[in-house]
Amino acid sequence: ATSSSTSRVIDVIATKKGYPCFTGDAENAFWQVPIDEECYMYPPKEWAAKQSQDDVKKFLWKLKKEWYGRRVAGRNFVEWAAGKVMKRGFNRSVAAPWFFHHPGLDISLEIHMDDIYGTGPLSVNKEFMEDLSKDVVMKWKMRQVGDEFEHLKRKRRIEPDGMFIEPNNKYLQSLVWLLGLEGANPAPTPEVTTEKDVEEEPLDEQQVKIYRRGVGVSIYIASDRPDVQHAVRELTKDMKSPRPSSMNRLRRLTRYLLGTPEKGVWLPRAGDIEYLEGLSDTDWAACKRTRKSCAGATLFVGNALVTSYSRGLSMICLSSGEAEFNGGVAATQEALFLKDIFAFMGIVLSVRMWLDSSAARGVYQRQGVGRIRHLETKGLWVQQGLKEKRFSLNAIDTETNVSDIGT
């Protein structure tokens, strides 16, 4: 299944090449897949209700097709659908096996369970989907300039000069209803940083359920809202034992979202597809309880935001330079992964990493740990990668480093 870091790859390709998109939704997906093992089940209640009790006890159904509820059914459908796509000349990505590309037709697509989403030239898109529908029973539709549609519950609007992606508003409405904030005043920011960490009693069981459900909805919204990713990350830290202050932070985030419902990610058509720009920033020892650091990154192709994140570093860093280096390693890893995916899709990009810490850039440019004896060796591969010119390293001013939004 597609991941949060790759969910906009097809969108970026479609926008930059000016291609239309297509969506497909397999009907009764699992029941289309031949089962590859001997498997039996009790007859459904609807069938059993029409039979005598004695007859029902005599029957087991032997499955000829996959069945909903089997753990392997989803995986088997994806593999079956992948085979149908590949027999039509598509290659399958090794790094991200949910992606497929046809070099001759220049069609790129992804398969997420029973949903297909892709892009390519208009004439070959239609012909391909008509042909694929002979093997995979599905509803499909072409998506062109002026269309608004959903894929994986995220709204997309194709415009002449780009594409706009935003979370489905129903998730915000469910969050408002869950917290009882109908008619609440909007908040100017998603979070505040002046709160003191004081001892509090945990929430009661009912409030804990509400909090966890609310944070779960917030995580989904944050995929296309870089402005709230840090706030949502802070909320996830209290999932185990949320406190009253945790609930207050969730309420503030919801009130901010109420005031900014039209926000999302804009992918401009303008901009060369020559570089993959990776910007990294890190807040050293940001967590007052664990003293672990927070890393943020934004990755662009031709000014189109492919992915962004706000994450906690697993290690405890002893200096801001060390934290910035480890945050940069994570961003570089993400950038090279995306570079491989775009290369698979026929788009060759050069990776340029941007860090605002001179100390972190210094660690990138040397060999070995130097004086930072405790530096984890698992991150030193970037030194060799820089030497081999797998990416370039550049300086950026703190004031213009947009990844600061994730820290």
Side-chain angles (χ1 to χ4, degrees), residues 28-276:
N28 296 322
F30 296 171
W31 292 345
Q32 299 186 46
V33 184
I35 199 164
D36 59 359
E37 59 183 321
E38 193 165 326
C39 185
Y40 298 86
M41 64 174 284
Y42 292 108
K45 293 179 180 180
E46 295 81 358
W47 181 88
K50 299 177 182 179
Q51 315 300 319
S52 70
Q53 291 300 314
D54 291 336
D55 287 341
V56 169
K57 296 177 182 179
K58 297 177 183 178
F59 288 97
L60 285 176
W61 282 13
K62 181 178 180 180
L63 298 183
K64 293 184 177 180
K65 302 285 186 177
E66 274 299 349
W67 196 266
Y68 289 86
R70 275 172 44 87
R71 292 182 179 179
V72 298
R75 182 191 65 195
N76 288 347
F77 171 79
V78 171
E79 293 303 314
W80 175 79
K84 301 301 182 184
V85 169
M86 293 168 67
K87 83 173 188 178
R88 288 168 168 81
F90 281 75
N91 298 324
R92 188 176 192 178
S93 170
V94 175
W98 52 91
F99 282 121
F100 301 82
H101 180 68
H102 194 299
L105 302 178
D106 197 25
I107 298 178
S108 304
L109 66 86
E110 64 176 340
I111 297 178
H112 179 88
M113 294 301 289
D114 57 352
D115 291 305
I116 296 175
Y117 182 48
T119 186
L122 178 60
S123 57
V124 296
N125 276 355
K126 186 175 182 180
E127 183 179 346
F128 162 67
M129 290 301 285
E130 288 176 345
D131 184 48
L132 183 62
S133 296
K134 297 175 183 177
D135 285 343
V136 182
V137 179
M138 61 180 167
K139 296 178 181 177
W140 64 273
K141 193 171 183 179
M142 300 298 301
R143 312 291 183 171
Q144 304 182 63
V145 173
D147 290 342
E148 186 172 304
F149 63 99
E150 286 190 20
H151 172 60
L152 300 183
K153 310 302 182 183
R154 299 154 85 181
K155 295 174 64 177
R156 290 162 166 83
R157 185 173 67 249
I158 304 178
E159 300 184 3
D161 55 347
M163 179 187 291
F164 184 68
I165 306 174
E166 61 180 328
N168 191 314
N169 191 55
K170 71 178 184 182
Y171 293 102
L172 173 56
Q173 296 307 316
S174 69
L175 195 56
V176 171
W177 173 83
L178 181 68
L179 300 176
L181 292 176
E182 297 91 344
N185 293 324
T189 60
E191 59 183 327
V192 293
T193 58
T194 57
E195 292 182 353
K196 295 182 179 180
D197 194 14
V198 297
E199 291 293 330
E200 297 178 278
E201 291 295 323
L203 297 173
D204 62 48
E205 185 176 347
Q206 182 62 28
Q207 288 294 300
V208 168
K209 290 181 180 178
I210 292 175
Y211 180 82
R212 289 172 178 168
R213 182 179 173 187
V215 174
V217 174
S218 302
I219 291 172
Y220 187 85
I221 293 173
S223 296
D224 296 309
R225 291 291 302 265
D227 54 329
V228 304
Q229 287 174 350
H230 180 266
V232 172
R233 176 191 171 269
E234 291 298 302
L235 293 175
T236 62
K237 290 159 59 175
D238 291 341
M239 288 285 272
K240 182 178 180 181
S241 182
R243 300 163 295 165
S245 60
S246 309
M247 183 65 80
N248 289 338
R249 289 196 295 270
L250 177 59
R251 289 176 178 273
R252 182 183 182 88
L253 170 64
T254 304
R255 291 194 297 113
Y256 171 76
L257 291 171
L258 266 176
T260 57
E262 76 288 353
K263 301 296 184 182
V265 173
W266 171 250
L267 305 179
R269 179 158 296 173
D272 296 331
I273 47 175
E274 182 179 358
Y275 296 104
L276 196 159

Side-chain angles (χ1 to χ4, degrees), residues 7 16 33 44 65 124 128 159 175 208 285 317 319 332 340 349 358 377:
S7 61
K16 292 302 180 182
V33 184
K65 302 285 186 177
V124 296
F128 162 67
E159 300 184 3
L175 195 56
V208 168
C317 302
S319 68
T332 305
D340 287 346
L349 300 169
S358 58
T377 56

Side-chain angles (χ1 to χ4, degrees), residues 353-358 361 365 393-398 400:
M353 297 303 302
W354 300 83
L355 279 71
D356 58 15
S357 167
S358 58
R361 295 195 301 273
Q365 293 163 340
L393 184 63
N394 306 272
I396 186 172
D397 290 335
T398 301
T400 56

